[in-house]
Amino acid sequence: MSAVDPGGDVARSPVGPVPGDRLARDLADLARQEAMRLRGELFGSARRAGLGAGLLAGAGIATVLGIGAVSVLARRTLEARMPAGRAAAVLAAGYLGAAVLLAGAGVVRLHAAAGWSHRLAGDLRRAVAAVRAGGTPPDRPGPVGHP
């Protein structure tokens, strides 16, 4: 056996070093190395993610500016064919119509997703109840040799 003296050194027994001490030291060194490697990878990933988020924000700003420029171009094109007030009204009606259509499609999709999640929740409740009762979930086969 070995003992640790107050200085932190491992004292050797008269028989020789204990194999478990070296294994413990090696495992501790390996754990420290892995922790340092994981910390480095985590900070590297966070740095790359931050840069990616910044680039996406820049792309969003450029998109908004582009949409604004296209809107100005559309309004000027309409103003060449009709009075300025009417051109603005036509453009606003077009934007509002597109917004209503997109919102309606979004609501339909959300309702469809909610129906799916309610069915899934019901299936999960039934499966948990069957397992608690000692059976198998409804659409899972029983153990081998059992119906």
Side-chain angles (χ1 to χ4, degrees):
M1 294 239 120
S2 64
V4 178
D5 68 7
D9 294 331
V10 175
R12 305 250 189 255
S13 68
V15 178
V18 176
D21 290 343
R22 179 174 174 133
L23 179 62
R25 278 194 310 269
D26 290 346
L27 286 174
D29 289 342
L30 180 63
R32 275 192 289 279
Q33 290 170 358
E34 284 299 307
M36 288 174 56
R37 183 185 63 80
L38 288 173
R39 187 178 309 138
E41 286 181 15
L42 177 65
F43 287 132
S45 294
R47 197 174 317 124
R48 287 188 300 275
L51 178 60
L55 291 171
L56 285 174
I61 291 170
T63 300
V64 168
L65 292 173
I67 290 171
V70 168
S71 180
V72 168
L73 176 66
R75 182 169 177 187
R76 287 189 179 163
T77 302
L78 288 172
E79 285 176 352
R81 297 172 191 215
M82 60 185 72
R86 183 177 287 165
V90 167
L91 194 58
Y95 286 150
L96 291 174
V100 166
L101 288 175
L102 291 172
V107 166
V108 167
R109 291 289 181 135
L110 286 174
H111 281 294
W116 177 81
S117 65
H118 287 300
R119 286 190 303 273
L120 178 63
D123 290 346
L124 287 174
R125 273 190 229 103
R126 284 188 295 279
V128 167
V131 169
R132 282 186 180 159
T136 57
D139 23 338
R140 301 249 170 112
V144 176
H146 294 337

